[in-house]
Structure formats: structure tokens, C-alpha cells
């Protein structure tokens, strides 16, 4: 997959003037405009507290905006029923096996374990954990737990995956490995991914577009297109292009802070 076709992909989601004021008066977002197309990999970067998680939760439908328009370009105009959400914490059930943890979204839809098993094993295989279906969370490393969390988000094959700093708590080496795994899955599955991170480096490595947010009030200040082809790998991380893209995102963030 290359990013060259990105501008021609059909639109999936348009945010216009989205604002959020929490009870108590905190203005988390004001006047957010953004376009997401089908198959995009878009990152939201910005300083802590600029409203990245709030925006993701609005897209997920977990909270409502106070103002503005969230328009889905689906056949019926509704939010896709199936949106995968991966949080910073793996949020696994400690008393349940890996298989049972990944079963949860299907169980909630009334699909029994025996019937779901091929799908569960497939999701586990996709994240490289086929041999760990019987293990319990306490037996897994932080990286493996996060993979289980990813498998759980994938098991319903959602067309849209929302990720809120999923790898932030992991060490740099593990994070780079999971970034690579995620990119590989994205290339194969052609999901739409919206990825929240406060790491400039991670946003550049992963994304086709980086939406740069600023705080007080939270809004999208700039957009940096990352034109590097996929698959990406260590060579991209060491390239001049990579450094230049990181500098561009950094400059946009700095401009936003100074503005
Ligand atoms: P980010 O993800 O960029 O760190 P958040 O979306 O978590 O930013 O938060 C944006 C602002 O909204 C912050 O000032 C935060 O304290 C506030 N906030 C977030 N969630 C709530 C909430 N449930 N109630 C009140 N204020 C909140």
C-alpha cells in the first residue's frame, strides 16, 4: 500500500466545528474541523490536556459533543456499529484466560465460545499469540497483554480502529515492535485507524497524516502529510525524510503553543 491514493479514498467521517465543554466548565475542544477517509491512518498529536482523548471518545460515540457536527459518510449516515477501541491500559480480565478475554466482544453479542473459537484463534494468530490462548494475563509481559487487547479489538473485524495512546506505557523497544505489528495489520486489513499519541516520532512513523492539536481550547491547528511509502521499517526511522517529517510536526506543535 502507498499513501499516494489517500486523497482519492472515499470520505468516512467529517468533523465540523466540534466542541466539548465538560460539566464544571472545562472547555476541552472548540471548533475542531477534520476529515477522515476510508483506509486512512491518521494520528492526533498534541500536548497533554489538548483534548485528544475527548475527540476520540466523541468519534467513538462514548460522549456527545457540546456543539458541532460529526458526520459519518455511511449508507445510513450512522456511526459504524463496529468500532474497535484500544486504550492505554490493556484492561484485561485478570481471572480469565487469553481466549476468554478475546471472546468478550463476541460473548456480549451472544456468540458462544465454541462457535467463536475459530475467530478467536484467528485474531490471536494475527497478533502472534496463537500459542497463548490458555494463558492468564498474570503470565504475560506488558507487550503480550497489549497484543491480547489488540486481538480483542480485532475479533469483530471492525472497519474502524480507535487507539488512545495504546503503547505509551511500554518501553521504547517494545513500542517500536508493536508499531510495526500494527502497521503490518493495517496494510493487510485496510482499516481506518485514528491513533492518539503524544510522541511525535511515533505519529510520523505510523501515519499518513498527522493532525497537530493545540490546547486552550483544544483544536486542530495543522496537518502534516507523511508521504513515505509503506511498508515502513528501520530504514525509514533512520532516514533524512523521517527526521524532516518529525521536525515539521515539532514546528507545527511549537507554533501552536506560541500562538
Ligand atoms: P488529552 O487526551 O489531550 O490529554 P483530554 O481529552 O484527556 O486531553 O482532556 C482535555 C481536557 O478536558 C483536560 O483539561 C481534562 O482535564 C478535561 N477532561 C477530560 N475528561 C474530563 C471529564 N470527564 N470531566 C471533566 N473534565 C475532563
Amino acid at each position: 500500500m502507498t499513501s499516494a491514493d489517500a486523497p482519492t479514498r472515499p470520505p468516512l467521517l467529517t468533523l465540523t466545528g466540534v466542541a466539548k465543554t465538560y460539566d464544571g466548565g472545562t472547555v476541552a475542544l472548540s471548533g475542531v474541523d477534520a476529515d477522515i477517509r476510508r483506509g486512512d491512518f491518521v494520528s492526533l498529536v498534541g500536548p497533554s490536556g489538548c483534548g485528544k482523548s475527548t475527540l476520540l471518545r466523541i468519534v467513538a460515540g462514548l460522549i456527545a459533543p457540546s456543539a458541532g457536527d460529526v458526520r459519518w459518510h455511511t449508507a445510513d449516515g450512522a456511526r459504524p456499529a463496529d468500532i474497535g477501541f484500544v486504550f492505554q491500559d490493556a484492561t484485561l480480565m485478570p481471572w480469565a484466560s487469553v481466549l476468554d478475554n478475546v471472546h468478550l466482544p463476541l460473548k456480549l453479542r451472544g456468540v458462544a465460545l465454541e462457535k467463536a473459537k475459530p475467530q478467536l484463534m484467528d485474531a490471536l494468530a494475527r497478533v502472534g499469540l496463537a500459542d497463548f490462548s490458555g494463558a492468564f494475563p498474570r503470565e504475560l509481559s506488558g507487550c503480550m497483554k497489549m497484543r491480547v487487547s489488540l486481538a480483542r479489538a480485532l475479533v469483530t473485524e471492525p472497519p474502524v480502529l480507535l487507539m488512545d495512546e495504546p503503547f505509551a506505557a511500554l518501553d521504547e523497544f517494545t513500542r517500536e515492535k508493536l508499531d510495526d505489528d500494527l502497521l503490518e495489520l493495517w496494510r493487510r486489513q485496510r482499516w481506518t485507524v485514528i491513533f492518539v499519541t503524544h510522541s511525535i516520532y511515533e505519529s510520523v512513523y505510523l501515519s499518513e497524516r498527522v493532525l497537530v492539536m493545540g490546547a486552550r481550547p483544544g483544536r486542530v491547528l495543522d496537518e502534516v502529510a507523511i508521504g513515505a511509502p509503506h511498508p515502513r521499517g528501520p530504514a525509514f526511522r533512520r532516514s533524512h525524510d523521517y527526521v524532516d517529517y518529525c521536525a515539521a510536526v515539532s514546528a507545527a506543535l511549537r507554533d501552536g503553543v506560541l500562538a
Side-chain angles (χ1 to χ4, degrees):
M1 181 191 260
T2 71
S3 299
D5 65 333
T8 61
R9 290 179 202 152
L12 176 67
L13 172 66
T14 304
L15 304 173
T16 312
V18 169
K20 177 70 184 177
T21 303
Y22 283 107
D23 295 345
T26 303
V27 182
L29 296 172
S30 173
V32 171
D33 296 328
D35 279 306
I36 309 289
R37 296 183 205 90
R38 284 169 203 272
D40 276 353
F41 197 126
V42 173
S43 285
L44 303 176
V45 299
S48 193
C50 72
K52 302 182 292 298
S53 297
T54 299
L55 190 56
L56 210 63
R57 279 184 278 147
I58 288 173
V59 170
L62 297 174
I63 56 173
S66 315
D69 189 35
V70 178
R71 177 151 307 170
W72 289 94
H73 302 278
T74 49
D76 57 0
R79 172 182 297 104
D82 224 352
I83 293 186
F85 209 127
V86 182
F87 299 93
Q88 180 171 341
D89 295 323
T91 58
L92 303 180
M93 300 178 289
W95 61 86
S97 69
V98 163
L99 194 70
D100 287 336
N101 267 286
V102 177
H103 180 214
L104 184 65
L106 291 175
K107 189 176 176 181
L108 293 173
R109 293 169 183 206
V111 186
L113 183 63
E114 274 318 303
K115 182 147 186 276
K117 207 163 176 186
Q119 257 171 290
L120 305 181
M121 292 309 295
D122 179 55
L124 284 172
R126 278 191 274 166
V127 299
L129 286 179
D131 294 338
F132 289 85
S133 61
F136 285 83
R138 64 175 176 276
E139 300 171 288
L140 305 178
S141 68
C143 172
M144 291 161 93
K145 283 185 205 156
M146 190 42 80
R147 282 174 205 265
V148 176
S149 173
L150 194 53
R152 186 181 51 193
L154 298 182
V155 76
T156 55
E157 310 213 325
V160 182
L161 191 57
L162 307 179
M163 307 186 82
D164 193 354
E165 306 211 33
F167 311 142
L170 302 171
D171 64 81
E172 197 70 12
F173 176 78
T174 306
R175 183 178 183 155
E176 288 187 3
K177 170 82 182 93
L178 283 171
D179 283 346
D180 283 335
D181 293 347
L182 174 62
L183 270 191
E184 183 55 29
L185 283 166
W186 170 74
R187 286 200 318 121
R188 277 195 269 139
Q189 310 286 139
R190 305 206 64 134
W191 306 305
T192 307
V193 181
I194 307 179
F195 189 96
V196 165
T197 177
H198 57 250
S199 164
I200 293 171
Y201 304 108
E202 189 175 42
S203 72
V204 167
Y205 186 69
L206 291 174
S207 322
E208 301 177 290
R209 284 188 294 141
V210 178
L211 303 186
V212 178
M213 295 183 64
R216 278 175 284 281
R219 63 205 190 285
V220 177
L221 298 171
D222 207 348
E223 175 177 325
V224 180
I226 314 295
H230 291 272
R232 294 176 184 170
F236 177 51
R237 283 191 202 279
R238 289 194 300 269
S239 69
H240 290 300
D241 280 355
Y242 181 66
V243 174
D244 288 348
Y245 285 128
C246 290
V249 174
S250 175
L253 273 168
R254 203 174 42 241
D255 289 350
V257 170
L258 296 176

